[in-house]
Amino acid sequence: MMAAMKRVFSGIQPSGEIHIGNYLGAIKNWIALGERLGKEAFFSIVDYHAITQSYDPSSLKKRTFEAALANIAAGLDPEKVTLFVQSQVPEHTELAWVFTTQTPVGDLTRMTQYKDKARRQAFVGAGLLMYPVLQAADILLYKADTVPVGEDQLQHIELTREIARRFNARFGETFPEPQAYINKDAPRVPGIDGAAKMSKSVGNTIGTLEAPDSIWEKLRTAPTDPARVRRSDPGEPTRCLIWRYHTYFSDPDLVQNVVEPECRRAGIGCVECKRLLFDAMMRELEPIQTRADHLRRHPEVVMDALEDGRKRASEVAKPVMEEVREKVGLLRPGDAALSSR
Ligand code: TRP
């Protein structure tokens, strides 16, 4: 029974808020994939990855819960997608250990993300080096063949393929070689400061669950086309951050027939243009915020979804881990192989 199954796996860090860059760039994409593939999509909140760098233990539970809540509120349907917490399925770290023994240290010290992160830490734990091995275990534990991620994860997925290949060569055909799935249509959302990428560490985000007045304040003070100094100056929408955001949130008719021509002929000012954007943005975010408020009042809905996810993930993970133990030659309870009869 080794039929190749189409499975999707992705992991998200429980790093607090989810911003519109995550939402437009990743979450919407996963939701669409999950809808297409039903139960065979696994999304894990990777708390064991989160502790590889300095972190606050007193807020980790809350951030993990919030990550689940924000994803469900954004439309990830736990009935269709298996959403679970990585540390609740202990096979992840167990498989990671086996992979650790089969991975050359040199492959890990070469990872760009490791080098970047290590450079910025006073204390570099061995877990930071093993991070991509744990990621490989996440994916291969489900024999997933499709991994929706951002460009920055391509090197980790390549390493996952090498780990699968090496394991298969040594212990027999076990794992598929997964492919990264990068959605070319998903936008790379610039930060509200105009920087190339919206990112929590830079502090230029708009949260999906952020209060409307706070979102408006950020839009109101955001940079626009620098050529538009006075209200009467004609603008060039393609040079404007607000126009970019309009393309994500506003009706294409409004963008084409109002935002673009009216900006070019100075028919509307930047503040009006930002108002139109704000309205469109809130039309998309408001239902998400309403669902989030509901889930905050009923945290058991989130906890139950995670518990269902844990059970479903375990159903897949346990037999795969058992197959691995057998293949690497570990003595199992009740094994008869060595008894002299
Ligand atoms: N390293 C990924 C990131 O930072 C998160 C992650 C952990 C992941 N395990 C995974 C992504 C497995 C895809 C598959 O974005």
Side-chain angles (χ1 to χ4, degrees):
M1 269 279 298
M2 281 269 307
M5 295 187 92
K6 277 260 163 219
R7 279 208 184 116
V8 175
F9 186 99
S10 198
I12 39 162
Q13 294 254 9
S15 54
E17 67 156 28
I18 285 184
H19 57 68
I20 60 172
N22 307 136
Y23 172 67
L24 299 167
I27 299 172
K28 268 185 131 177
N29 191 12
W30 300 340
I31 293 166
L33 261 181
E35 299 273 321
R36 282 222 303 277
L37 291 159
K39 283 281 183 202
E40 295 309 311
F42 293 81
F43 291 110
S44 184
I45 301 165
V46 292
D47 49 353
Y48 272 143
H49 280 106
I51 68 172
T52 59
Q53 279 178 282
S54 70
Y55 77 103
D56 173 17
S58 70
S59 68
L60 182 58
K61 276 188 198 216
K62 179 149 190 291
R63 283 184 285 121
T64 305
F65 175 83
E66 284 289 319
L69 181 147
N71 277 282
I72 297 171
L76 194 109
D77 181 355
E79 298 280 325
K80 295 190 175 131
V81 169
T82 298
L83 177 69
F84 70 102
V85 177
Q86 181 192 39
S87 66
Q88 294 180 4
V89 181
E91 286 80 6
H92 285 250
T93 43
E94 198 176 351
L95 183 58
W97 177 253
V98 174
F99 287 165
T100 296
T101 67
Q102 304 300 312
T103 306
V105 174
D107 284 11
L108 299 174
T109 50
R110 214 175 295 132
M111 293 286 118
T112 34
Q113 208 162 71
Y114 168 72
K115 289 193 282 190
D116 276 2
K117 287 179 178 172
R119 203 182 310 127
R120 283 186 267 121
Q121 311 276 306
F123 170 80
V124 179
L128 194 62
L129 184 63
M130 299 308 157
Y131 181 113
V133 180
L134 179 58
Q135 181 164 350
D138 293 341
I139 298 164
L140 296 177
L141 189 53
Y142 300 90
K143 299 193 176 181
D145 47 24
T146 308
V147 188
V149 281
E151 303 265 355
D152 65 327
Q153 294 299 310
L154 285 177
Q155 202 182 30
H156 289 167
I157 308 307
E158 181 54 40
L159 182 76
T160 301
R161 275 202 294 280
E162 276 159 29
I163 288 175
R165 228 176 285 139
R166 207 177 287 118
F167 187 98
N168 292 346
R170 171 132 193 232
F171 301 107
E173 198 57 32
T174 309
F175 297 112
E177 289 181 31
Q179 296 290 327
Y181 173 87
I182 295 199
N183 186 351
K184 296 274 181 280
D185 302 329
R188 283 188 101 237
V189 178
I192 191 66
D193 56 352
K197 201 176 172 209
M198 184 171 282
S199 138
K200 202 190 169 222
S201 53
V202 180
N204 60 5
T205 60
I206 292 182
T208 52
L209 304 181
E210 193 166 331
D213 5 335
S214 162
I215 293 181
W216 170 245
E217 197 47 31
K218 286 181 182 175
L219 292 182
R220 197 183 64 76
T221 54
T224 55
D225 176 4
R228 271 199 100 173
V229 181
R230 262 161 278 136
R231 163 75 174 73
S232 54
D233 295 335
E236 177 43 47
T238 55
R239 275 201 301 260
C240 181
L241 176 73
I242 297 302
W243 171 80
R244 276 284 282 282
Y245 285 9
H246 266 295
T247 64
Y248 309 143
F249 291 101
S250 297
D251 184 339
D253 280 349
L254 183 87
V255 180
Q256 252 178 40
N257 302 325
V258 181
V259 173
E260 293 173 2
E262 294 302 311
C263 172
R264 288 201 174 100
R265 62 170 205 96
I268 57 169
C270 293
V271 178
E272 279 167 89
C273 184
K274 287 171 169 181
R275 262 285 161 204
L276 292 173
L277 170 64
F278 177 69
D279 292 344
M281 215 181 229
M282 288 319 298
R283 258 194 301 281
E284 182 139 358
L285 297 183
E286 201 184 81
I288 297 176
Q289 300 195 346
T290 305
R291 276 196 294 273
D293 290 342
H294 174 83
L295 293 170
R296 277 218 176 80
R297 273 179 275 114
H298 303 279
E300 69 284 0
V301 174
V302 176
M303 294 305 284
D304 286 353
L306 290 175
E307 176 57 8
D308 290 346
R310 183 191 68 76
K311 286 189 186 135
R312 171 65 193 139
S314 296
E315 267 169 29
V316 178
K318 279 186 196 312
V320 173
M321 191 59 219
E322 191 52 38
E323 184 187 351
V324 169
R325 292 188 201 101
E326 193 57 46
K327 284 187 168 157
V328 302
L330 301 170
L331 183 68
R332 308 304 304 135
D335 258 352
L338 300 181
S339 62
S340 49
R341 255 177 292 155

